[in-house]
Amino acid sequence: MDWRNDRIKACQTGTNPMLIKELIGGFAVFGDTQFLPGYCVLLPKKTVGSLNEFSLKERQEFLVSMSILGDAILAACSPLRVNYDILGNTDQFLHAHVFPRYLWEKEERRSKPVWLYSASHWTSPLDAYDEEKHLVIRQRIAAYLNDFAG
């Protein structure tokens, strides 16, 4: 089975190549697309449809882990800011997108949600994760998470 068919299970079994680190509230994974270098996703440790299906403790752990992943991206990439997005409209399981936003983005894009970027940004091989192009950023994010989250 392709790890993309069940990304959470692939993290649980150690077969998700995008896994950076297991945190207390979920799995920090590198984004498949990197048109905004350092884009990551936090996956929960178990498959649930939404944040509301978690106990209060699990919610706290997930949201704190999401913010720690944001801290790691800030430290590793020095973006202008980080945007957090929990949607579930397309992939109907809980996951949180953590997007770095950069000063070099065009103002009309920088001031709007990432989802308004053209579809080609999400599917272009030029923007896809590439070990050679993105390894240093990934290592910096991992180092921060290892230092902060043990």
Side-chain angles (χ1 to χ4, degrees):
M1 181 173 85
D2 187 333
W3 61 271
R4 289 176 191 89
N5 293 335
D6 190 337
R7 292 171 186 261
I8 296 168
K9 185 174 184 174
C11 285
Q12 293 167 341
T13 61
T15 58
N16 186 331
M18 305 306 272
L19 178 63
I20 301 170
K21 177 153 181 73
E22 182 176 349
L23 304 174
I24 192 165
F27 298 106
V29 299
F30 218 68
D32 294 355
T33 185
Q34 289 294 306
F35 64 89
L36 294 171
Y39 160 56
C40 293
V41 177
L42 182 68
L43 300 172
K45 291 187 180 184
K46 64 182 182 183
T47 303
V48 294
S50 74
L51 190 63
N52 304 89
E53 293 179 33
F54 273 155
S55 68
L56 287 178
K57 181 177 187 242
E58 290 170 318
R59 292 178 196 190
Q60 290 171 335
E61 290 171 347
F62 185 82
L63 293 171
V64 168
S65 292
M66 181 184 72
S67 71
I68 292 168
L69 181 54
D71 291 337
I73 292 169
L74 285 166
C77 302
S78 301
L80 185 61
R81 67 179 168 279
V82 171
N83 289 163
Y84 302 91
D85 226 338
I86 298 174
L87 300 169
N89 298 331
T90 302
D91 295 319
Q92 296 182 357
F93 59 89
L94 176 63
H95 59 288
H97 301 272
V98 186
F99 290 105
R101 300 305 301 266
Y102 294 99
L103 193 55
W104 51 256
E105 292 177 78
K106 292 180 181 176
E107 176 58 32
E108 64 268 15
R109 290 215 172 132
R110 189 175 64 237
S111 63
K112 297 195 174 15
V114 170
W115 307 108
L116 296 180
Y117 269 89
S118 69
S120 66
H121 285 86
W122 302 95
T123 58
S124 169
L126 296 174
D127 292 318
Y129 173 76
D130 179 275
E131 187 79 19
E132 286 185 32
K133 284 178 18 182
H134 302 108
L135 182 61
V136 171
I137 292 173
R138 186 173 173 161
Q139 288 173 332
R140 287 180 187 156
I141 292 170
Y144 182 96
L145 294 175
N146 285 331
D147 287 347
F148 189 86

